[in-house]
Amino acid sequence: MMGGDTKQHDDVELGNDVATGEVFHDSILEQKLDRNFSLLSISAVGIVTGNTWAALGGSIAVAIYNGGPPGVLYEFVAVSVFYWIIAASLAELASAIPSSGGVYHWATITAGPRWGRICGFFAGWWNYFAWIFGAASMSAIIGNCTVAMYAQTHPNFVPQAWHIFVAYLIVTWCCCCVVLFANKALPAINNLGLLFILGGVVITIIVCAVMPSQTGSGHASNSFVWADWSADLGYTSDGFIFLMGMLNGAYAVGTPDCISHLSEEIPKPEVNVPKGIAAQMAAGFITAILYMIAIFYAISDLDAVLSGTSNFPIAVIYNQATGSAAGTIGLLLIILLPIICTCIGW
């Protein structure tokens, strides 16, 4: 009887605390984790985990069917606007309630005492599944990329699904081991990933902008990149195709909450986490839009890209841009290295 009264009293107290806004977040509890991250390293976490340009390049096979190059560009711009609004909301929540729990914690608090627990439960599980599937997709891109690099020097090689799956398993377990046994090295890995991402996108843009005129393949026309809508998917509504294409852009840019999960590992999270979110969204958009413009101008044969003969269509685009297997492998390596750092971060 005494235990039941105590439990009831605790529940009432919790409800009153939530109702009056007296939120006891993680930052006032006993510190359990070392604060290994600075503003630079936590911004690097956001940029590396987002890795927008590389994610778009790795999934270009899905995106380019939804309207061709202009579809990919405009769909990405449209979805980015929505994600800026989401990121601004999350930054405000991270400033008011800095919590390593992130989305599930905010959902529990903002929904109030009546609906807080159920909203937090579903928000937590949806967020969990999103990270699981996101990590799997990164491993899959790495698997496809490594197989495509091997195929560049072996013209008679025919990629099989099991080749990619074996590479997928190896990458997944290696990244897990890094997280488990090299936790203190994670900030340095993210800083290295930031270097790969920013340096890699600059190199890729320069190569794709310069090489087509040197190899004789030439650049694509302005109308091909900005105006020629092509979507042979069997749907009659271009609007519906545009909305479907926005999903790929959302996949590439859609991790604005990732930094919030490190709130216990950075000083002044209420200030630094929102700054990191802003850095992530700005860097992701700028690098991705410039990267897409460069690779689309480097396409000389769209039918070859869409033919399905390669397991990794970005490799076909790079080959058309550079005109050589060595150049293609070099550009694939540039996209591979930051994605490995991203997979570790996921």
Side-chain angles (χ1 to χ4, degrees), residues 244-262:
M244 287 199 305
M246 288 174 64
L247 291 174
N248 194 69
Y251 160 75
V253 77
T255 56
D257 70 307
C258 65
I259 295 175
S260 68
H261 300 292
L262 298 174

Side-chain angles (χ1 to χ4, degrees), residues 51 91 106 149 155 184 208 218 224 230 238 255 260 294:
N51 200 7
W106 300 330
M149 291 171 68
K184 289 185 179 295
C208 290
F224 172 80
S230 59
D238 287 340
T255 56
S260 68

Side-chain angles (χ1 to χ4, degrees), residues 306-344:
L306 301 177
S307 65
T309 55
S310 172
N311 66 296
F312 204 49
I314 193 65
V316 180
I317 297 176
Y318 285 166
N319 189 266
Q320 292 180 8
T322 63
S324 69
T328 302
I329 292 173
L331 291 180
L332 288 175
L333 183 64
I334 288 173
I335 202 174
L336 175 68
L337 293 176
I339 291 180
I340 291 174
C341 296
T342 298
C343 196
I344 294 171

Side-chain angles (χ1 to χ4, degrees), residues 142-273:
I142 295 171
N144 276 282
C145 187
T146 52
V147 172
M149 291 171 68
Y150 180 83
Q152 290 299 312
T153 55
H154 299 79
N156 297 325
F157 173 73
V158 179
Q160 302 293 328
W162 69 268
H163 296 149
I164 299 168
F165 183 65
V166 169
Y168 165 89
L169 291 177
I170 293 172
V171 167
T172 300
W173 280 108
C174 287
C175 291
C176 284
C177 289
V178 171
V179 174
L180 289 171
F181 304 115
N183 186 267
K184 289 185 179 295
L186 292 182
I189 292 172
N190 280 291
N191 291 340
L192 184 63
L194 179 64
L195 176 64
F196 287 149
I197 287 174
L198 299 182
V201 73
V202 170
I203 294 172
T204 303
I205 289 171
I206 292 174
V207 170
C208 290
V210 173
M211 287 302 293
S213 60
Q214 302 298 314
T215 60
S217 60
H219 294 91
S221 64
N222 290 330
S223 61
F224 172 80
V225 176
W226 299 103
D228 294 344
W229 178 272
S230 59
D232 188 17
L233 295 175
Y235 296 103
T236 58
S237 173
D238 287 340
F240 180 70
I241 293 172
F242 187 90
L243 292 176
M244 287 199 305
M246 288 174 64
L247 291 174
N248 194 69
Y251 160 75
V253 77
T255 56
D257 70 307
C258 65
I259 295 175
S260 68
H261 300 292
L262 298 174
S263 292
E264 287 190 41
E265 300 179 59
I266 182 174
K268 297 182 179 179
E270 68 278 3
V271 175
N272 289 323
V273 170

Side-chain angles (χ1 to χ4, degrees), residues 46-59 76 79-80 83 138 246-256 280-281 284-285 288 292 342 346:
I47 295 171
V48 171
T49 304
N51 200 7
T52 310
W53 72 267
L56 278 172
S59 59
F76 176 74
V79 82
S80 293
Y83 265 93
M138 288 294 110
M246 288 174 64
L247 291 174
N248 194 69
Y251 160 75
V253 77
T255 56
Q280 173 190 352
M281 301 306 290
F285 179 78
M292 286 189 294
T342 298
W346 279 80

Side-chain angles (χ1 to χ4, degrees), residues 89-101:
S89 301
L90 295 180
E92 178 63 27
L93 287 168
S95 178
I97 315 171
S99 167
S100 60

